[in-house]
Amino acid sequence: MGRRYVVFFEPALANLDAMGNHMATRLENQITDFLDAWRPESAFAKSLQSDLWQFKWSPRNGSGARAFSGYFAGDEHDIALVLVTFKKKNEDKFNLQQTGFNSRAKSLIRTLDSKSPSDIDTWLDDQRNNPERKVLDETDI
């Protein structure tokens, strides 16, 4: 198990901003649980496809929010690759797009698999410097 990171891509960030503070904060808390979960996989609500996982926040009234994410498990890095966030009421629309999100996750995972640990560190730094990304690590919780 390596150092843990969460990388938010667009449209995940824009969709979080559009959700409103309470819902966005709750979903982001579920996602950042990845950073200190006993096992990284246990932070996800479930696996959806070969390379696509789901984070989920559900209050008692049945509403809530979801996120689709890839998961890279390297020797020195565990990285949640958050591709999209959305309100539960829009879940059917996003479920129809799962194959596309799975392909994007697979592509990102292949890219990371082809890199050395130091190259992954460089890639993470590049993501941090990209205004369309947000990178969190264990020091952010």
Side-chain angles (χ1 to χ4, degrees):
M1 184 169 23
R3 294 171 299 185
R4 296 191 195 168
Y5 300 86
V6 174
V7 180
F8 290 88
F9 295 85
E10 288 296 356
L13 291 171
N15 291 354
L16 272 176
D17 287 343
M19 278 183 196
N21 276 346
H22 180 72
M23 188 176 291
T25 299
R26 297 294 184 156
L27 180 58
E28 192 166 349
N29 287 344
Q30 289 298 123
I31 294 168
T32 57
D33 282 350
F34 175 87
L35 297 171
D36 65 352
W38 181 66
R39 289 180 30 245
E41 301 90 349
S42 67
F44 296 104
K46 61 183 172 181
S47 174
L48 298 171
Q49 292 193 23
S50 62
D51 294 291
L52 193 66
W53 296 74
Q54 183 181 63
F55 289 105
K56 176 168 109 174
W57 170 69
S58 296
R60 288 186 204 137
N61 67 6
S63 62
R66 309 285 187 263
F68 289 166
S69 176
Y71 169 48
F72 173 74
D75 293 335
E76 296 183 25
H77 301 84
D78 287 294
I79 306 171
L81 305 156
V82 182
L83 306 173
V84 68
T85 56
F86 53 92
K87 293 181 179 179
K88 184 180 182 332
K89 70 180 183 178
N90 298 324
E91 190 168 25
D92 290 342
K93 172 183 147 187
F94 286 96
N95 279 336
L96 291 173
Q97 300 174 48
Q98 272 190 26
T99 301
F101 290 115
N102 188 65
S103 294
R104 185 163 179 217
K106 185 179 300 220
S107 175
L108 287 165
I109 292 164
R110 277 190 198 134
T111 297
L112 292 168
D113 271 337
S114 71
K115 296 181 179 297
S116 69
S118 64
D119 289 341
I120 293 172
D121 288 332
T122 300
W123 181 87
L124 286 163
D125 287 339
D126 291 345
Q127 303 313 303
R128 276 192 184 92
N129 294 324
N130 183 333
E132 295 183 356
R133 309 274 193 273
K134 178 179 178 181
V135 177
L136 301 173
D137 63 32
E138 293 132 327
T139 65
D140 295 311
I141 53 174

